[in-house]
């Protein structure tokens, strides 16, 4: 029983990170029809910004702020202006292929300019275990879950409770009408890219202490986030959240109870099951109440 | 005719290499409902898109209350007092009805301190929307969606409304309601420029009519006269002259 709860908490921690990355993925898709196949590498890179900042003597909190700032500029604004804007004119597929090329470019650049080694990375929360009701719970996992959920709640409040957030949603749902109403559509799309950059840098700071900073560490994560977004229904943030957590938990349980060898196949099995039984995704219903 | 509220002079516009409006000239008198009729593809919707800055005018001039508004962006046109309700469904399906309406005032959000009152007025005008205020707009019926678009457009108290085929796909009862709403607005002094497929019923509630053909304004006159003009009846009113 105690291993089970340990596994669940570990799964929720992984799932929380998947969810954050999947939300960013879905946001980009909604706002600009960008399928970002470099999303995993977007999580890999900020850790190196942090390593560089800390290598120059910055304390953790400052390195984290620098990381988010650099991600906003490079993975947010520059990504949009230099790759998405010129490519999206040619269609969704050329755009998606361009992001695949970007993923390779990012991996190779980190390998050549920094190193091919894996680097340890400091954790926001000390890596200690807590005994709660007889179960062995990792404090680091709790820290990840709390931070990720905090980020998700913050984003939800921005989108639902502020005028800017609703203008972003309006832009994603019907850009032509948004433009007619005088909503600054271009600025809203840019804002979405900025938000994605913040989300991936948070995910990077959370996940790298566990998986180490390595040029190739975005591969699994990118795939998982992509699958989580599809499972959840692709154009529903709630779906990306559910998909992310579900995938994380099932993944962890499967690794423990079935086999680590089949572990990487689990997300694909879930994906196939969802496509067969709920083609619009778990949360992909048409008509729902909003607040 | 007094000073027209809207005037197009030799406006040229089109899509890509295709020119649809080729020197379009007409003016719309202040107050009242002016209906634009013409065959499919005549360029009626294109005229609206060009007035509202969604399609660039390549030549010519568009004036509103004597001011040059050619190629101004929607933001400035809204501020000037023009509102455009395009053909089809123009809502944000996953936002609530209230939030959809509120977005009609984003360009003025900072100087509108009476937004709640304006939204309240919209609900008084269209009670069905109040009942569904916190429900996703996608759950509204077609007629209610049109009401939502009109309510949203009225939020900034426009002086001129451009409305493109509001009755398409609506039941006769809802068409009646929509037309009644337009008549109320006219009574309040708003100028309405209306495109209607359902030309006969539209002309019956209109003051003026404009016949557009191949991107050119062919006939302009009192709606009653156009309604009984044999040329027009034959061409655009489907010859149903005795119902
Ligand atoms: N987005 C577009 N791109 C290219 N051509 C277009 C576009 N929209 C309209 N057209 C063409 O421009 C011409 C005029 O179209 P417009 O929509 O203005 O006609 P309309 O008078 O509103 O017709 P309807 O009664 O069918 O609504 C048509 O030949 C149409 O095919
Ligand atoms: Mg039309």
């Amino acid at each position: 029983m105690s291993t089970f709860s340990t596994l669940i908490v570990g799964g929720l921690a992984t799932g929380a990170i998947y969810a954050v990355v999947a939300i960013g993925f879905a946001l980009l898709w909604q706002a600009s029809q960008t399928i970002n196949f470099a999303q995993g590498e977007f999580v890999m890179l900020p850790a190196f910004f942090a390593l560089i900042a800390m290598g120059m003597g910055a304390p953790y909190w400052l390195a984290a702020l620098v990381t988010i700032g650099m991600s906003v500029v490079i993975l947010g604004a520059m990504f949009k202006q230099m790759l998405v804007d010129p490519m999206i004119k040619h269609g969704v597929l050329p755009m998606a292929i361009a992001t695949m090329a970007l993923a390779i470019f990012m991996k190779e650049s980190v390998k050549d300019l920094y190193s091919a080694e894996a680097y340890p990375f400091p954790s926001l929360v000390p890596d200690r275990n807590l005994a709660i009701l007889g179960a062995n719970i990792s404090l680091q996992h709790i820290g990840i879950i709390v931070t990720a959920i905090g980020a998700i709640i913050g984003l939800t409040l921005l989108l639902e409770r502020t005028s800017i957030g609703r203008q972003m949603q309006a832009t994603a749902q019907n850009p032509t009408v948004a433009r007619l109403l005088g909503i600054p559509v271009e600025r809203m799309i840019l804002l979405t890219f900025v938000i994605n950059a913040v989300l991936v840098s948070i995910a990077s700071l959370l996940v790298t202490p566990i998986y180490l900073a390595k040029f190739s560490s975005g591969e699994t994560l990118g795939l998982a986030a992509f699958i989580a977004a599809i499972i959840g229904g692709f154009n529903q943030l709630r779906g990306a959240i559910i998909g992310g957590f579900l995938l994380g938990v099932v993944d962890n349980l499967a690794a423990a109870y079935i086999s680590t060898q089949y572990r990487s196949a689990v997300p694909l099995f879930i994906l196939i099951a969802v496509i067969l039984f709920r083609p619009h995704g778990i949360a992909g219903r048409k008509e729902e109440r909003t607040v | 005719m007094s000073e027209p509220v809207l005037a197009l002079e030799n406006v040229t516009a089109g899509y890509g290499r295709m020119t649809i409006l080729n020197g379009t000239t007409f003016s719309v008198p202040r107050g009242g409902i002016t209906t634009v009729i013409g065959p499919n593809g005549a360029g009626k919707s294109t005229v609206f898109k060009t007035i509202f800055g969604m399609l660039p005018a390549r030549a010519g001039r568009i004036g509103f209350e004597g001011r040059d508004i050619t190629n101004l962006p929607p933001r400035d046109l809204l501020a000037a007092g023009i509102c455009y309700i395009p053909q089809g469904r123009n809502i944000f399906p996953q936002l609530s009805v209230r939030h959809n309406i509120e977005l009609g005032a984003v360009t003025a959000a900072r100087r509108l301190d009476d937004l709640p009152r304006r939204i309240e007025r919209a609900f008084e005008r269209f009670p069905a929307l109040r009942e569904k205020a916190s429900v996703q707009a996608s759950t509204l019926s077609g007629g209610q969606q049109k009401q939502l678009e009109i309510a949203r457009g009225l939020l900034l108290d426009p002086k001129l409304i451009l409305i493109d085929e509001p009755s398409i796909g609506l039941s006769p009862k809802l068409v009646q309601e929509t037309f009644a709403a337009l008549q109320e607005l006219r009574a309040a002094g708003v100028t309405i420029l209306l495109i209607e497929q359902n030309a006969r019923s539209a002309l019956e509630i209109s003051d003026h009519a404009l016949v557009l053909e191949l991107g050119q304004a062919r006939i302009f006159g009192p709606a009653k006269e156009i309604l009984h003009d044999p040329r027009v009846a034959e061409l655009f009113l489907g010859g149903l002259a005795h119902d």
Side-chain angles (χ1 to χ4, degrees):
Chain A
M1 196 56 212
S2 66
T3 11
F4 183 72
S5 29
T6 309
L7 284 172
I8 291 284
V9 174
L12 289 175
T14 316
I17 294 169
Y18 288 168
V20 168
V21 184
I23 288 173
F25 187 91
L27 276 179
L28 290 192
W29 163 254
Q30 289 172 22
S32 69
Q33 280 66 56
T34 303
I35 301 178
N36 183 19
F37 283 115
Q39 186 79 342
E41 281 64 39
F42 274 38
V43 179
M44 174 274 292
L45 191 64
F48 286 92
F49 296 155
L51 283 179
I52 292 170
M54 287 186 284
M56 286 165 34
Y60 180 86
W61 63 268
L62 182 61
L65 287 181
V66 170
T67 300
I68 294 176
M70 289 188 65
S71 301
V72 162
V73 173
I74 296 172
L75 302 177
M78 281 172 65
F79 172 55
K80 175 178 184 293
Q81 313 284 6
M82 293 168 66
L83 193 84
V84 175
D85 287 352
M87 282 310 295
I88 198 74
K89 295 189 194 95
H90 302 288
V92 170
L93 195 59
M95 174 72 247
I97 293 168
T99 65
M100 289 180 195
L102 177 66
I104 297 170
F105 173 75
M106 288 173 70
K107 280 188 285 195
E108 294 303 316
S109 302
V110 169
K111 198 160 74 175
D112 290 347
L113 298 176
Y114 199 88
S115 158
E117 305 288 302
Y119 291 87
F121 194 86
S123 167
L124 179 64
V125 183
D127 189 11
R128 269 196 293 124
N129 281 352
L130 291 181
I132 302 174
L133 301 173
N136 216 6
I137 304 293
S138 147
L139 195 58
Q140 193 180 11
H141 286 164
I142 301 287
I144 290 174
I145 295 171
V146 170
T147 314
I149 290 181
I152 293 170
I153 291 176
L155 175 65
T156 311
L157 290 179
L158 172 75
L159 288 176
E160 301 288 338
R161 298 289 168 85
T162 69
S163 173
I164 291 280
R166 291 195 288 271
Q167 291 179 52
M168 287 176 67
Q169 293 191 59
T171 300
Q173 289 172 30
N174 199 335
T176 312
V177 177
R179 200 164 276 133
L180 281 182
L181 300 180
I183 293 173
V185 168
E186 271 307 307
R187 218 178 305 157
M188 292 304 140
I189 296 176
L190 177 63
L191 188 55
T192 312
F193 279 79
V194 164
I195 289 175
N196 181 53
V198 173
L199 292 175
V200 291
S201 38
I202 292 173
S204 189
L205 294 171
L206 294 179
V207 79
T208 314
I210 302 175
Y211 292 140
L212 306 179
K214 194 176 178 200
F215 72 95
S216 59
S217 67
E219 287 164 5
T220 0
L221 199 68
L223 184 65
F226 178 61
I227 292 177
I230 295 182
I231 297 178
F234 221 70
N235 51 25
Q236 293 248 347
L237 294 198
R238 211 172 339 155
I241 298 167
I242 299 171
F245 277 103
L246 182 75
L247 205 59
V249 170
V250 174
D251 193 30
N252 236 31
L253 292 179
Y257 293 117
I258 304 175
S259 145
T260 35
Q261 278 179 322
Y262 291 117
R263 180 181 192 165
S264 52
V266 168
L268 292 171
F269 280 130
I270 300 181
L271 177 64
I272 291 167
V274 169
I275 289 176
L276 285 179
F277 298 109
R278 291 212 55 137
H280 296 291
I282 294 172
R285 267 180 297 147
K286 276 235 162 107
E287 297 175 346
E288 280 160 339
R289 283 187 82 91
T290 56
V291 192
Chain B
M1 198 163 82
S2 64
E3 161 90 8
V5 66
L6 180 78
L8 277 74
E9 289 162 31
N10 281 310
V11 172
T12 308
Y15 307 92
R17 247 179 267 151
M18 206 168 30
T19 301
I20 305 295
L21 306 185
N22 199 355
T24 307
T25 302
F26 67 86
S27 51
V28 178
R30 183 177 297 280
I33 301 177
T34 301
T35 292
V36 184
I37 58 174
N40 287 88
K44 304 182 294 295
S45 299
T46 305
V47 166
F48 278 17
K49 287 185 229 166
T50 310
I51 296 171
F52 209 71
M54 302 301 280
L55 197 64
R58 294 176 192 151
R61 180 183 185 277
I62 304 172
F64 175 67
E65 300 190 317
R67 190 181 142 205
D68 187 356
I69 57 154
T70 320
N71 293 330
L72 287 185
R75 187 181 189 83
D76 295 342
L77 299 167
L78 290 165
I82 307 177
C83 124
Y84 167 41
I85 302 171
Q87 199 174 326
R89 297 192 169 184
N90 307 286
I91 60 162
F92 305 111
Q94 273 125 263
L95 289 179
S96 72
V97 169
R98 179 187 297 276
H99 289 155
N100 262 275
I101 297 177
E102 266 178 25
L103 283 171
V106 273
T107 52
R110 258 177 234 114
R111 43 187 184 82
L112 274 193
D113 37 21
D114 61 342
L115 187 61
R117 218 198 69 234
R118 285 166 186 258
I119 290 174
E120 187 50 35
R121 256 192 343 215
F123 287 150
E124 271 159 27
R125 192 184 292 272
F126 301 113
L129 296 181
R130 188 202 301 276
E131 278 168 40
K132 297 209 156 191
S134 54
V135 166
Q136 279 199 356
S138 62
T139 63
L140 297 181
S141 71
Q144 290 168 339
Q145 292 190 9
K146 246 329 148 199
Q147 291 184 341
L148 186 160
E149 292 174 36
I150 296 173
R152 186 180 63 194
L154 293 178
L155 218 51
L156 297 179
D157 292 329
K159 297 177 210 162
L160 171 67
I161 298 178
L162 312 172
I163 183 163
D164 193 347
E165 305 211 6
S167 76
I168 217 160
L170 302 193
S171 68
K173 182 170 164 285
L174 279 165
V175 174
Q176 282 294 307
E177 273 183 47
T178 311
F179 281 5
L182 295 180
Q183 285 168 290
E184 261 174 57
L185 287 168
R186 164 175 60 190
V190 181
T191 307
I192 296 163
L193 191 56
L194 168 70
I195 297 176
E196 247 318 320
Q197 205 64 250
N198 200 340
R200 183 172 300 278
S201 353
L203 287 176
E204 273 160 9
I205 63 154
S206 297
D207 304 283
H208 319 279
L210 173 71
V211 180
L212 204 70
E213 214 181 355
L214 296 171
Q216 301 273 345
R218 296 277 181 225
I219 311 170
F220 181 90
K224 290 262 146 43
E225 275 176 31
I226 304 257
L227 191 55
H228 297 112
D229 186 317
R231 292 171 297 168
V232 174
E234 214 177 286
L235 280 171
F236 311 121
L237 303 181
L240 299 164
H242 7 252
D243 56 338

